[in-house]
Amino acid sequence: MKRIALIGCGGSGKTFLSKQLGTLISAPVKHLDAVYYDDEWNPLPPEEFAAAQERLVAEPAWVIEGNYASTLPIRLRRADCVIFLELPTWVCLWGIAQRRLRHGGGQDDATGVYDRITWGFLRYVWGYRKTMAPRVRELLDEHATGASIHVVTSRREARALLAQLTEAQTA
Protein backbone atom coordinates (compact mmCIF):
# COMPACT_ATOMS: atom_id res chain seq x y z
CA MET A 1 0.00 0.00 0.00
CA LYS A 2 1.83 3.05 -1.30
CA ARG A 3 -0.74 5.00 -3.33
CA ILE A 4 -3.98 5.83 -1.52
CA ALA A 5 -6.90 7.75 -3.03
CA LEU A 6 -9.26 9.08 -0.37
CA ILE A 7 -12.69 10.19 -1.60
CA GLY A 8 -15.74 11.52 0.19
CA CYS A 9 -18.14 14.35 0.79
CA GLY A 10 -17.06 17.57 2.42
CA GLY A 11 -16.99 17.10 6.19
CA SER A 12 -16.58 13.32 5.95
CA GLY A 13 -13.10 13.34 7.50
CA LYS A 14 -10.85 13.08 4.45
CA THR A 15 -8.28 15.56 5.75
CA PHE A 16 -7.98 13.93 9.16
CA LEU A 17 -7.74 10.40 7.79
CA SER A 18 -5.31 11.40 5.02
CA LYS A 19 -2.84 12.75 7.59
CA GLN A 20 -3.01 9.49 9.54
CA LEU A 21 -2.51 7.44 6.39
CA GLY A 22 0.36 9.61 5.17
CA THR A 23 2.17 9.05 8.45
CA LEU A 24 1.39 5.33 8.33
CA ILE A 25 2.90 4.77 4.89
CA SER A 26 5.50 7.56 5.07
CA ALA A 27 4.07 9.27 2.00
CA PRO A 28 3.26 12.86 1.16
CA VAL A 29 -0.35 13.93 1.57
CA LYS A 30 -1.87 16.02 -1.19
CA HIS A 31 -5.11 17.91 -0.61
CA LEU A 32 -6.81 18.48 -3.96
CA ASP A 33 -8.42 21.68 -2.73
CA ALA A 34 -4.89 23.09 -2.40
CA VAL A 35 -4.16 22.09 -5.99
CA TYR A 36 -7.48 23.29 -7.41
CA TYR A 37 -7.85 26.69 -5.72
CA ASP A 38 -5.50 29.64 -5.47
CA ASP A 39 -5.40 31.92 -2.40
CA GLU A 40 -8.52 33.77 -3.57
CA TRP A 41 -10.56 30.62 -4.26
CA ASN A 42 -10.08 30.85 -8.03
CA PRO A 43 -10.09 27.37 -9.59
CA LEU A 44 -7.47 26.04 -11.97
CA PRO A 45 -8.62 25.49 -15.54
CA PRO A 46 -9.73 21.85 -15.99
CA GLU A 47 -6.81 20.83 -18.20
CA GLU A 48 -4.26 22.27 -15.74
CA PHE A 49 -5.98 20.55 -12.82
CA ALA A 50 -5.88 17.21 -14.64
CA ALA A 51 -2.21 17.71 -15.59
CA ALA A 52 -1.32 18.53 -11.97
CA GLN A 53 -2.93 15.28 -10.83
CA GLU A 54 -1.10 13.30 -13.52
CA ARG A 55 2.14 14.61 -12.02
CA LEU A 56 1.01 13.74 -8.48
CA VAL A 57 0.05 10.16 -9.30
CA ALA A 58 3.33 9.57 -11.15
CA GLU A 59 5.12 9.65 -7.78
CA PRO A 60 5.90 6.27 -6.19
CA ALA A 61 3.98 6.92 -2.95
CA TRP A 62 1.16 9.29 -2.05
CA VAL A 63 -2.09 9.92 -0.26
CA ILE A 64 -4.39 12.15 -2.30
CA GLU A 65 -7.61 13.32 -0.72
CA GLY A 66 -10.47 15.04 -2.45
CA ASN A 67 -13.54 14.23 -4.48
CA TYR A 68 -13.43 16.00 -7.86
CA ALA A 69 -15.24 13.28 -9.79
CA SER A 70 -14.27 14.76 -13.17
CA THR A 71 -10.63 13.80 -12.55
CA LEU A 72 -11.19 10.84 -10.25
CA PRO A 73 -10.19 8.29 -12.92
CA ILE A 74 -6.66 9.74 -12.93
CA ARG A 75 -6.25 8.80 -9.26
CA LEU A 76 -8.16 5.53 -9.41
CA ARG A 77 -6.04 4.09 -12.22
CA ARG A 78 -2.82 4.51 -10.18
CA ALA A 79 -4.09 3.89 -6.64
CA ASP A 80 -3.41 0.59 -4.97
CA CYS A 81 -5.85 1.46 -2.17
CA VAL A 82 -9.06 3.50 -2.41
CA ILE A 83 -11.04 4.63 0.59
CA PHE A 84 -14.50 6.03 -0.06
CA LEU A 85 -15.97 7.83 2.96
CA GLU A 86 -19.71 7.52 2.34
CA LEU A 87 -20.97 8.86 5.64
CA PRO A 88 -24.51 10.06 6.39
CA THR A 89 -25.30 13.64 5.45
CA TRP A 90 -25.82 14.76 9.04
CA VAL A 91 -22.36 13.43 9.99
CA CYS A 92 -20.75 15.43 7.16
CA LEU A 93 -22.65 18.60 8.10
CA TRP A 94 -21.57 18.13 11.71
CA GLY A 95 -17.98 17.65 10.50
CA ILE A 96 -18.18 20.92 8.56
CA ALA A 97 -19.51 22.75 11.63
CA GLN A 98 -16.75 21.29 13.82
CA ARG A 99 -14.09 22.25 11.27
CA ARG A 100 -15.37 25.83 11.19
CA LEU A 101 -15.40 26.05 14.98
CA ARG A 102 -11.94 24.50 15.28
CA HIS A 103 -10.15 26.24 12.42
CA GLY A 104 -12.30 29.13 11.26
CA GLY A 105 -12.79 29.72 7.56
CA GLY A 106 -10.24 30.07 4.84
CA GLN A 107 -7.31 28.05 3.59
CA ASP A 108 -4.48 26.53 5.58
CA ASP A 109 -1.89 24.49 3.71
CA ALA A 110 -0.24 23.38 6.97
CA THR A 111 -3.38 21.65 8.27
CA GLY A 112 -4.95 20.79 4.92
CA VAL A 113 -8.11 22.64 5.90
CA TYR A 114 -9.88 24.41 3.07
CA ASP A 115 -13.06 25.82 4.53
CA ARG A 116 -15.38 27.88 2.39
CA ILE A 117 -18.99 27.43 3.35
CA THR A 118 -21.41 28.69 0.72
CA TRP A 119 -25.02 27.79 -0.01
CA GLY A 120 -23.80 25.93 -3.10
CA PHE A 121 -21.40 23.87 -0.99
CA LEU A 122 -24.11 23.06 1.57
CA ARG A 123 -26.48 21.99 -1.24
CA TYR A 124 -23.70 19.79 -2.62
CA VAL A 125 -23.20 18.14 0.79
CA TRP A 126 -26.95 17.75 1.28
CA GLY A 127 -27.35 15.97 -2.07
CA TYR A 128 -24.03 14.09 -2.10
CA ARG A 129 -25.37 10.62 -1.23
CA LYS A 130 -28.12 10.89 -3.82
CA THR A 131 -26.21 12.45 -6.72
CA MET A 132 -22.46 12.11 -6.27
CA ALA A 133 -22.07 8.82 -4.37
CA PRO A 134 -23.63 6.74 -7.18
CA ARG A 135 -21.29 8.40 -9.68
CA VAL A 136 -18.29 7.69 -7.47
CA ARG A 137 -19.32 4.04 -7.19
CA GLU A 138 -19.54 3.78 -10.99
CA LEU A 139 -16.09 5.31 -11.35
CA LEU A 140 -14.71 2.91 -8.75
CA ASP A 141 -16.11 -0.06 -10.65
CA GLU A 142 -14.74 1.23 -13.94
CA HIS A 143 -11.31 2.59 -13.00
CA ALA A 144 -10.13 1.16 -9.66
CA THR A 145 -9.64 -2.35 -10.98
CA GLY A 146 -6.17 -2.81 -9.47
CA ALA A 147 -6.90 -1.36 -6.05
CA SER A 148 -8.27 -2.62 -2.78
CA ILE A 149 -11.47 -0.65 -2.20
CA HIS A 150 -12.82 0.23 1.23
CA VAL A 151 -16.25 1.85 1.53
CA VAL A 152 -16.61 3.42 4.97
CA THR A 153 -20.06 4.44 6.22
CA SER A 154 -19.34 5.68 9.76
CA ARG A 155 -16.63 7.29 11.86
CA ARG A 156 -16.39 4.02 13.80
CA GLU A 157 -15.70 2.11 10.57
CA ALA A 158 -13.05 4.69 9.65
CA ARG A 159 -11.25 4.15 12.96
CA ALA A 160 -11.48 0.37 12.55
CA LEU A 161 -10.11 0.56 9.00
CA LEU A 162 -7.22 2.74 10.14
CA ALA A 163 -6.43 0.23 12.88
CA GLN A 164 -6.63 -2.65 10.40
CA LEU A 165 -4.35 -0.90 7.88
CA THR A 166 -1.91 0.02 10.65
CA GLU A 167 -1.75 -3.59 11.78
CA ALA A 168 -1.26 -4.83 8.21
CA GLN A 169 1.43 -2.23 7.53
CA THR A 170 3.42 -3.05 10.65
CA ALA A 171 3.09 -6.85 10.31
Side-chain angles (χ1 to χ4, degrees), residues 26-40:
S26 300
V29 175
K30 297 298 179 181
H31 308 283
L32 288 181
D33 284 346
V35 176
Y36 188 66
Y37 292 108
D38 68 14
D39 292 343
E40 297 177 6

Side-chain angles (χ1 to χ4, degrees), residues 9-10 89 92-94 96-97 99 115-128:
C9 185
T89 301
C92 295
L93 291 169
W94 179 245
I96 290 165
R99 178 175 61 207
D115 185 11
R116 181 177 178 215
I117 299 174
T118 64
W119 285 115
F121 176 66
L122 292 175
R123 278 191 304 274
Y124 169 80
V125 171
W126 187 258
Y128 185 90

Side-chain angles (χ1 to χ4, degrees), residues 7-9 67-70 84 86 124 127-139:
I7 310 157
C9 185
N67 213 48
Y68 297 97
S70 64
F84 178 26
E86 192 176 6
Y124 169 80
Y128 185 90
R129 289 177 62 103
K130 190 177 215 176
T131 59
M132 186 56 68
R135 183 168 178 212
V136 169
R137 286 181 177 273
E138 287 174 12
L139 292 168

Side-chain angles (χ1 to χ4, degrees), residues 40-55:
E40 297 177 6
W41 294 103
N42 298 307
L44 267 181
E47 61 281 353
E48 288 181 39
F49 187 48
Q53 286 181 71
E54 292 286 0
R55 289 189 297 276

Side-chain angles (χ1 to χ4, degrees), residues 2 19 22-23 25 31 39 43 52 54 64 77 80 90 100 125 129 136 142 161:
K2 286 292 178 194
K19 291 177 193 176
T23 299
I25 66 169
H31 308 283
D39 292 343
E54 292 286 0
I64 300 175
R77 285 191 293 266
D80 56 23
W90 72 269
R100 175 54 65 95
V125 171
R129 289 177 62 103
V136 169
E142 186 176 345
L161 176 61

